[in-house]
Amino acid sequence: MFDYPVTMMKDGDSILVTFVDVPEAITFGADKDEALLQAVDALETALSFYVEARKPLPVPSKAKRGQRTVRPSVLEGAKLGVYQAMMDQGIKKAELARRLGWHMPQVDRLFDLRYASRLDQIDAAARAL
């Protein structure tokens, strides 16, 4: 669902990784494996900017033949899925909090990609949508 194609190129002694669909996500690594590992963090950080600004998430383009892709980790991907559903339905965080019977800080933490939310909380939010 959030599988973004990456462009990898040699940059001196490092491998530079960029995302055509998420221009804010830029990183590098000593080799391809390290660069791809760092790319997950860069992608999650960049997508968190969209969530914080309440902007729609970028739609991943189709990867070209042989092009590598990077996706957020499972927990962050689940959070982004709930966020995307909320945006698609035009629901505000206050309405989601009301539906769940939660306080606003709980909903804020749900969409904080750096906060380790519990899967049952993400599941409850998804069901409420």
Side-chain angles (χ1 to χ4, degrees):
M1 182 167 162
F2 299 109
D3 210 8
Y4 292 91
V6 296
T7 301
M8 300 173 66
M9 56 192 200
K10 191 107 169 105
D11 185 26
D13 292 338
S14 301
I15 303 293
L16 177 68
V17 180
T18 58
F19 294 78
V20 68
D21 304 311
V22 189
E24 302 86 351
I26 302 169
T27 193
F28 64 93
D31 57 32
K32 286 184 180 183
D33 290 335
E34 182 183 332
L36 287 170
L37 184 63
Q38 296 296 331
V40 173
D41 184 58
L43 178 62
E44 290 173 358
T45 300
L47 292 177
S48 73
F49 299 151
Y50 287 83
V51 173
E52 289 169 13
R54 300 248 330 126
K55 293 171 65 176
L57 297 173
V59 177
S61 57
K62 185 168 173 46
K64 296 176 183 156
R65 181 179 216 114
Q67 187 175 21
R68 303 291 295 263
T69 59
V70 171
R71 70 177 59 103
S73 61
V74 174
L75 182 64
E76 285 73 13
K79 288 180 168 207
L80 291 167
V82 170
Y83 173 78
Q84 185 66 53
M86 190 176 80
M87 294 294 286
D88 289 348
Q89 295 176 32
I91 293 174
K92 305 282 187 208
K93 288 197 286 187
E95 172 59 18
L96 182 59
R98 187 194 64 72
R99 289 181 183 187
L100 292 167
W102 292 0
H103 297 285
M104 279 304 292
Q106 292 172 286
V107 174
D108 289 335
R109 284 191 300 269
L110 182 72
F111 296 115
D112 181 350
L113 298 187
R114 297 292 175 210
Y115 183 80
S117 298
R118 295 187 338 243
L119 284 177
D120 64 317
Q121 293 170 323
I122 297 168
D123 182 56
R127 290 176 189 275
L129 295 169

